Amino acid sequence: MKSPRKGLWAAPVLLLLPFYTLASPAYEDRPRARPSTGHTCLGCVVVVSVIEQLARVHNATVQASMERLCSYLPEKLSLRTTCYLAVYTFGPDVIRLLSADMNADVVCHALEFCQRDPGQTVCHLYPLPKEGWKFTLKKARQIVKKSPSPKYRSSSDICSLPLLAKICQKIKFTVTNSVPFRDVDSDKHSAFPTLRGYHWRGRDCNDSDGMTYPGRRPDNWDVHQDSNCNGIWGVDPKDGIPYEKKFCEGSEPRGVILLGDSAGAHFHIPPKWITASQMSLKSFSDLPRALTDELNWPQLSGATGFLNSTSGIKENSIYLHLWKRNRCNHRDYQNLSKNGASSQNLERLIGSLSRNPLLDHPAIVIYAMIGNDVCNGKTDTVRAMTTPEQFYSKVMETLKYLNSHLPNGSHVILYGLPDGTFLWDNLHNRYHPLGQLNKDVTYERFYSFLSCLQISPCHGWMSANQTLRTLTSQRAEQLSNTLKKIATTQKFTNFDLFYVDFDFQEIVKKWQERGGQPWQLIEPVDGFHPNEVASLLLADSLWDKLQLQWPQVLGKENPFNPQIEQVFGDQGGH
Ligand code: CA
């Protein structure tokens, strides 16, 4: 009997797969995201680890732990049903293997989710078995062979299996149908939160009218309707003056537009999704929504976040700063970020910029390609990095595009690249969330596992090799210097141009002064991205620098803010 067992098992695996598929710099070259063998292996190891740890935490059987994990999953996107189906078809092998004291690496190799190419080293997250790898794997394979479960053909394309097609399709839809690949103007602003909706750019307050959108100059002072969605419209009955004219004329409204990568989109995998000791019925409630935002949380990002911080810090995003400064800027934000975006592939994203040079207010554009020009998962990572010449040429192309699409009086800020050596320095000997229960997986091990699978988001910095880390930092510095040179030598008619350093050390210092530790600023699960606190600290520091050096970028404080709040309340929210 041919049973699509591997496909079914891959269902829970699939939940975790997209995180590296989407975050991987190579992603842009593969818009029809199909998990690589490396991602499949990682997904399997993560899920089997979680099952094993759930059993330990609750002193329960493997069977009960698999069912527990499924019961935590929401039914949206058919996640829970598919999980139960996977347990039913695939559970027996996992039970037998884990009961024989095999670890997740061995389980996933025995079940062929992880494969070792001839001549390659074994990729493993946990320490190698004491009895030796070959011997243990042979034993594990015998256990699987003897298993009464139906056997099945191996399939590298899990999405071709009928039972999984639906879920795959939903994930593919999320990934490929997002607005950056559309160029229909009326689709750019949406009344729906995810799938590149208002989590990403200001909510469309009238979806049926293509001439109504955040950021435009008001039509006839918005006497009859709110043409720019800032929540200000109508006429003051006391004096007959339109509110938009009274409160906003001369206040020089402006929006913020981020051209960013996964860091700008705030890529985030909550640790509670993979930490057995913290898992509960509530843990995965935000998973379906996060999947439809490509595992990004732009609504909480440093550039365009509009929700209050979940970490409780008082710092604001650039957008919220602008909104507090001038309430006429309400909803005027666009987060044009994509996992894997770099100077070299930004042209595919920038077409989704929504700004009419004649009809709209000026914008502050932040160019923040902070990692993927030096970060890649390739074995020969230095060769795959963008050279300063390639960088110069593409940045200039982007600026020319902006010059022809931005209203006159706009501002463009080129944001430098960080020195990513802080990742290794602060994390390598700490435990990854998967290693905290048994004190076995450090970030050094985690990084090396990702590099071995060739799916590291940044082989150059997430490496034990100091020379390689230094080379990566040197290239990043060269690219930052290229941006600096462009900012000081180039002039454009529709915007002025500035360069600002990505100064991680500065925010680490600020954080330490508040009693924090540097590692608390990095995403725990991926060990790579700046987390929400770091993003907000960086945004705040950028805001301070702009205010000090180039206050004209930010515009004036609107003296009518209190009246706007009095008349329009929360201006329709976000
Ligand atoms: Ca208005």
Side-chain angles (χ1 to χ4, degrees):
M1 180 187 156
K2 280 185 178 177
S3 154
R5 229 165 36 141
K6 182 175 285 187
L8 287 172
W9 179 241
V13 174
L14 256 181
L15 311 180
L16 297 148
L17 278 182
F19 67 78
Y20 283 104
T21 313
L22 293 168
S24 125
Y27 164 67
E28 285 291 317
D29 303 330
R30 296 178 279 120
R32 297 218 166 265
R34 175 176 297 179
S36 74
T37 48
H39 296 116
T40 310
C41 178
L42 172 67
C44 177
V45 170
V46 171
V47 174
V48 173
S49 301
V50 168
I51 291 168
E52 195 264 330
Q53 293 183 15
L54 275 173
R56 197 175 294 249
V57 167
H58 296 279
N59 196 17
T61 63
V62 173
Q63 172 75 33
S65 302
M66 290 191 288
E67 283 168 9
R68 181 186 290 271
L69 178 59
C70 291
S71 75
Y72 290 161
L73 291 173
E75 193 38 55
K76 263 193 193 156
L77 296 174
S78 318
L79 297 177
R80 193 188 303 151
T81 308
T82 320
C83 183
Y84 280 124
L85 216 49
V87 169
Y88 174 75
T89 5
F90 207 74
D93 281 340
V94 176
I95 293 170
R96 291 161 68 95
L97 289 166
L98 287 179
S99 309
D101 268 344
M102 306 287 173
N103 69 21
D105 292 318
V106 181
V107 172
C108 293
H109 275 86
L111 299 176
E112 293 174 22
F113 286 108
C114 297
Q115 273 151 7
R116 177 188 184 182
D117 295 329
Q120 297 290 308
T121 50
V122 182
C123 299
H124 59 101
L125 182 61
Y126 297 94
L128 286 171
K130 285 194 188 76
E131 291 174 297
W133 177 258
K134 268 191 178 169
F135 178 79
T136 312
L137 185 60
K138 202 173 159 192
K139 214 163 100 185
R141 282 186 175 143
Q142 274 163 358
I143 292 174
V144 175
K145 229 175 172 176
K146 283 186 202 149
S147 158
S149 333
K151 292 293 169 277
Y152 57 98
R153 67 200 157 90
S154 80
S155 165
S156 56
D157 185 359
I158 48 181
C159 290
S160 69
L161 297 158
L163 281 161
L164 268 190
K166 203 173 148 195
I167 287 190
C168 286
Q169 209 136 36
K170 279 180 182 166
I171 291 177
K172 273 185 189 170
F173 176 79
T174 304
V175 171
T176 58
N177 280 27
S178 45
V179 168
F181 298 109
R182 293 187 216 156
D183 48 18
V184 185
D185 268 64
S186 58
D187 274 340
K188 283 176 177 170
H189 294 272
S190 161
F192 189 73
T194 61
L195 294 171
R196 298 272 162 177
Y198 66 77
H199 281 169
W200 299 81
R201 51 179 120 206
R203 186 143 66 94
D204 190 336
C205 52
N206 183 356
D207 228 3
S208 60
D209 180 1
M211 288 309 287
T212 298
Y213 53 86
R216 66 162 291 171
R217 293 178 197 274
D219 177 28
N220 189 25
W221 293 115
D222 283 4
V223 168
H224 300 294
Q225 61 150 343
D226 189 12
S227 69
N228 54 11
C229 299
N230 65 2
I232 301 167
W233 65 287
V235 175
D236 188 341
K238 284 184 229 127
D239 50 21
I241 301 173
Y243 284 117
E244 181 87 40
K245 186 173 169 64
K246 185 182 255 185
F247 294 152
C248 300
E249 187 180 28
S251 78
E252 298 176 351
R254 63 201 63 205
V256 60
I257 299 172
L258 176 73
L259 301 177
D261 47 28
S262 51
H266 186 25
F267 185 86
H268 166 62
I269 313 259
K272 65 184 177 189
W273 290 354
I274 64 162
T275 311
S277 59
Q278 294 173 14
M279 251 178 224
S280 71
L281 264 175
K282 288 182 196 152
S283 300
F284 295 96
S285 58
D286 40 10
L287 175 64
R289 195 208 43 68
L291 284 175
T292 46
D293 270 336
E294 303 151 50
L295 292 172
N296 294 307
W297 310 63
Q299 68 277 29
L300 292 164
S301 68
T304 65
F306 56 86
L307 297 180
N308 284 333
S309 144
T310 59
S311 48
I313 70 166
K314 59 172 183 19
E315 275 75 5
N316 286 310
S317 71
I318 299 290
Y319 165 70
L320 279 180
H321 269 298
L322 277 172
W323 176 74
K324 287 187 174 167
R325 197 174 186 83
N326 181 0
R327 292 296 196 92
C328 299
N329 295 333
H330 185 62
R331 290 200 187 128
D332 194 359
Y333 59 88
Q334 298 181 41
N335 193 317
L336 308 186
S337 296
K338 187 129 187 94
N339 300 331
S342 74
S343 70
Q344 303 300 294
N345 59 35
L346 183 61
E347 63 208 46
R348 292 167 63 176
L349 188 63
I350 206 168
S352 71
L353 178 86
S354 165
R355 212 71 180 176
N356 186 311
L358 301 174
L359 294 179
D360 299 350
H361 287 302
I364 303 168
V365 177
I366 304 170
Y367 177 97
M369 296 294 128
I370 66 160
N372 296 321
D373 285 285
V374 295
C375 285
N376 60 71
K378 305 242 165 76
T379 318
D380 193 354
T381 181
V382 178
R383 257 180 88 100
M385 292 176 188
T386 307
T387 65
E389 294 74 27
Q390 291 166 334
F391 195 64
Y392 181 90
S393 144
K394 285 288 185 183
V395 174
M396 284 305 292
E397 265 178 43
T398 301
L399 293 174
K400 282 171 194 160
Y401 183 94
L402 289 175
N403 199 40
S404 60
H405 287 78
L406 290 177
N408 192 263
S410 292
H411 310 276
V412 175
I413 293 149
L414 300 174
Y415 206 51
L417 283 78
D419 175 0
T421 48
F422 62 81
L423 295 173
W424 175 267
D425 294 345
N426 291 305
L427 289 183
H428 76 278
N429 55 5
R430 298 192 58 83
Y431 291 113
H432 185 269
L434 284 178
Q436 280 163 10
L437 185 68
N438 300 321
K439 306 271 174 269
D440 48 6
V441 179
T442 58
Y443 281 95
E444 177 170 9
R445 278 244 42 85
F446 178 68
Y447 287 172
S448 133
F449 183 51
L450 296 184
S451 289
C452 179
L453 293 172
Q454 300 190 33
I455 54 170
S456 174
C458 195
H459 185 50
W461 275 323
M462 294 158 80
S463 161
N465 181 337
Q466 192 183 348
T467 313
L468 189 58
R469 298 198 304 268
T470 307
L471 280 172
T472 310
S473 294
Q474 281 169 354
R475 180 62 61 85
E477 196 184 345
Q478 287 170 347
L479 299 186
S480 294
N481 286 336
T482 306
L483 292 175
K484 214 180 285 181
K485 187 177 118 195
I486 292 173
T488 48
T489 58
Q490 300 295 325
K491 290 268 176 287
F492 295 86
T493 49
N494 284 333
F495 56 81
D496 46 12
L497 189 59
F498 309 94
Y499 169 84
V500 176
D501 272 323
F502 185 120
D503 196 344
F504 205 77
Q505 284 314 315
E506 183 193 313
I507 67 146
V508 165
K509 221 178 123 210
K510 273 192 197 167
W511 186 238
Q512 283 173 320
E513 282 164 9
R514 284 153 74 155
Q517 297 290 324
W519 58 266
Q520 293 168 328
L521 298 171
I522 304 162
E523 277 292 313
V525 173
D526 61 50
F528 175 57
H529 293 94
N531 66 8
E532 190 189 303
V533 171
S535 306
L536 289 173
L537 290 175
L538 285 163
D540 215 62
S541 130
L542 175 61
W543 180 267
D544 288 346
K545 278 178 199 166
L546 291 174
Q547 204 164 21
L548 199 69
Q549 297 178 47
W550 310 296
Q552 73 275 23
V553 172
L554 308 176
K556 296 177 286 192
E557 180 106 28
N558 188 341
F560 294 104
N561 285 338
Q563 282 97 315
I564 295 173
E565 198 178 334
Q566 203 182 4
V567 180
F568 296 102
D570 73 353
Q571 296 174 263
H574 284 94

